[in-house]
Amino acid sequence: MKKLLALAALTGTLMLSQTPDMSGVWRADLTKSKRQGPPVVTYLVLIEQKDAVFNNRTKEQAVQFTDTTGTWGQRGEQRTMLAFFLNGKPKVGSYSGIPTELTGSVDGNKVTVKAEQAGGGSSFTRTYELSADGKTLTMNEDGTNEGRPMHSTIVMDKQDQAAAEPLMKPEEVASVHYKNVKTDALKGLPASQFINTMHYFSWSLGKECTFCHVERKFDSDDKKEKQTARKMIDMVAAINEHNFESKPEVKCFTCHEGNGHPLSHQLFADEIQAAKERAAREAADREAHRPPPPAGAPPPSQH
Ligand code: HEC
Ligand code: HEC
């Protein structure tokens, strides 16, 4: 037993030691970086690398790489988190609230992660490259979101661990951060997780934010769909509480499967054809009405 533990400890160290050490706090040099989205004043990244269980069934371990990014600007604080394993094997995680298959790998001083959203709506490849002196980290991201290309480069300088403080502070909860959040299930969520939940709703129902929201007035309750969604949030919480010991077994996708109105049966051949034609029409329509991105619109993955 002792031998086994020693071996486990040893392989653990070996796994980590084969990985470039990017752990710590990094601050973007915004003059050298090229990013999409509204301008920010501060861009901080906390990177952690540790051995963790990759496969719950086999107990296989691997190095887990976690990126917690915080930006501060006109829109206040925005946080995003991306976690993946560096063993070259795909694993389904979550990014921006949407189930995403993540495959991480190491090549010399470079860590690469490939991400593909369930349903194939968007995908990206991100690399983190450490300079020889270990003081500069360059993050490059290339991807497509609903067919549109996105690119960003972030050049970051190493900071003292104390610089992580703003990222360690608990975020404001949704009921404080936003004007009109009423459901028990969402009120207490940290603001970034609340927004991730909104991305999840859109993805689950195969709709844009405006399916439930009046354009640019997210706090308004004028749309019937938003009112229905509130009832659905309460319903899902009750189903899980009464049947699944409050574990989130039933979710929006369980019934909706990418549809505004859940299906009652498998589609018939003529319905499949009609659905394909409708989807193509809607996509073309969206593309025609989409304003050109203002010098770097936020990719939805970074809201
Ligand atoms: C399926 C319906 C639905 C979709 C789609 C949806 N939302 Fe929401 N949204 C809601 C509901 C319901 C609430 C209120 C939640 C509550 O009361 O707990 C809400 C609240 C919000 C709020 C808080 C507004 C305030 O100040 O009170 C924001 C911000 C928001 N949504 C953003 C988004 C964004 C961005 C998207 C698209 C990525 C989106 N929502 C997609 C249903 C939806
Ligand atoms: C147990 C199955 C089930 C789950 C889980 C579920 N829904 Fe629904 N949802 C339905 C059904 C069925 C309808 C259609 C009801 C009708 O037409 O009267 C519906 C309708 C809706 C509508 C109205 C659509 C429209 O066209 O007006 C919204 C919005 C909605 N759901 C949001 C959600 C959200 C958000 C979640 C997750 C929090 C969710 N639903 C989870 C079954 C479900």
Side-chain angles (χ1 to χ4, degrees):
M1 186 66 190
K2 247 188 195 153
K3 243 188 195 160
L4 264 181
L5 283 177
L7 193 67
L10 191 68
T11 47
T13 348
L14 273 178
M15 281 195 288
L16 261 182
S17 67
Q18 285 162 358
T19 313
D21 184 12
M22 301 179 183
S23 61
V25 192
W26 301 87
R27 180 191 294 272
D29 180 339
L30 294 164
T31 60
K32 291 185 191 155
S33 303
K34 190 170 148 281
R35 55 180 290 282
Q36 300 178 305
V40 297
V41 184
T42 309
Y43 188 116
L44 275 183
V45 178
L46 173 66
I47 290 178
E48 292 158 293
Q49 288 167 241
K50 61 169 201 294
D51 289 335
V53 176
F54 171 73
N55 183 323
N56 278 328
R57 196 173 44 79
T58 61
K59 301 282 177 265
E60 177 187 344
Q61 296 230 340
V63 179
Q64 189 180 35
F65 186 103
T66 307
D67 168 330
T68 307
T69 296
T71 58
W72 287 264
Q74 286 162 337
R75 301 198 331 187
E77 179 183 351
Q78 313 266 324
R79 262 190 229 180
T80 52
M81 185 152 116
L82 178 64
F84 51 92
F85 286 89
L86 297 180
N87 57 358
K89 297 180 188 174
K91 184 169 169 85
V92 178
S94 166
Y95 184 59
S96 197
I98 298 172
T100 301
E101 192 177 69
L102 296 157
T103 313
S105 57
V106 179
D107 178 14
N109 263 355
K110 199 154 132 187
V111 160
T112 302
V113 58
K114 289 184 193 299
E116 188 189 327
Q117 231 174 47
S122 79
S123 62
F124 63 85
T125 299
R126 192 189 271 199
T127 59
Y128 297 82
E129 193 160 4
L130 192 63
S131 64
D133 65 5
K135 288 183 182 157
T136 310
L137 186 64
T138 306
M139 197 267 277
N140 264 300
E141 185 174 308
D142 273 299
T144 55
N145 176 32
E146 309 283 339
R148 316 189 110 221
M150 327 183 282
H151 175 77
S152 59
T153 301
I154 311 287
V155 181
M156 299 176 276
D157 300 317
K158 187 78 186 261
Q159 308 292 307
D160 288 341
Q161 197 61 31
E165 203 243 311
L167 284 174
M168 312 293 277
K169 271 210 299 247
E171 276 180 274
E172 241 168 30
V173 295
S175 60
V176 175
H177 196 80
Y178 297 104
K179 287 192 206 143
N180 185 19
V181 175
K182 293 188 172 148
T183 59
D184 287 335
L186 305 190
K187 273 194 300 207
L189 290 182
S192 63
Q193 279 181 37
F194 177 85
I195 287 298
N196 284 351
T197 305
M198 292 298 144
H199 287 293
Y200 174 76
F201 287 173
S202 293
W203 174 83
S204 295
L205 274 68
K207 303 286 178 199
E208 314 240 323
C209 312
T210 48
F211 182 65
C212 296
H213 290 289
V214 179
E215 195 127 25
R216 292 177 198 285
K217 283 173 70 187
F218 288 109
D219 57 324
S220 159
D221 285 345
D222 287 351
K223 288 200 85 165
K224 196 175 109 277
E225 288 80 2
K226 185 180 177 189
Q227 298 165 26
T228 308
R230 270 213 186 93
K231 286 192 203 153
M232 295 273 154
I233 295 164
D234 290 339
M235 174 190 78
V236 167
I239 292 175
N240 287 323
E241 187 188 329
H242 297 138
N243 303 280
F244 304 108
E245 298 163 353
S246 295
K247 286 198 223 86
E249 294 288 349
V250 171
K251 298 176 164 199
C252 312
F253 189 81
T254 314
C255 295
H256 282 271
E257 296 184 286
N259 303 295
H261 196 288
L263 302 179
S264 53
H265 55 76
Q266 298 274 29
L267 293 180
F268 294 101
D270 56 339
E271 291 176 326
I272 294 174
Q273 190 52 33
K276 273 192 192 145
E277 284 165 13
R278 194 168 53 241
R281 254 197 330 270
E282 283 174 7
D285 197 47
R286 269 205 304 278
E287 200 51 42
H289 288 96
R290 210 193 293 259
S301 61
Q302 301 201 346
H303 275 218

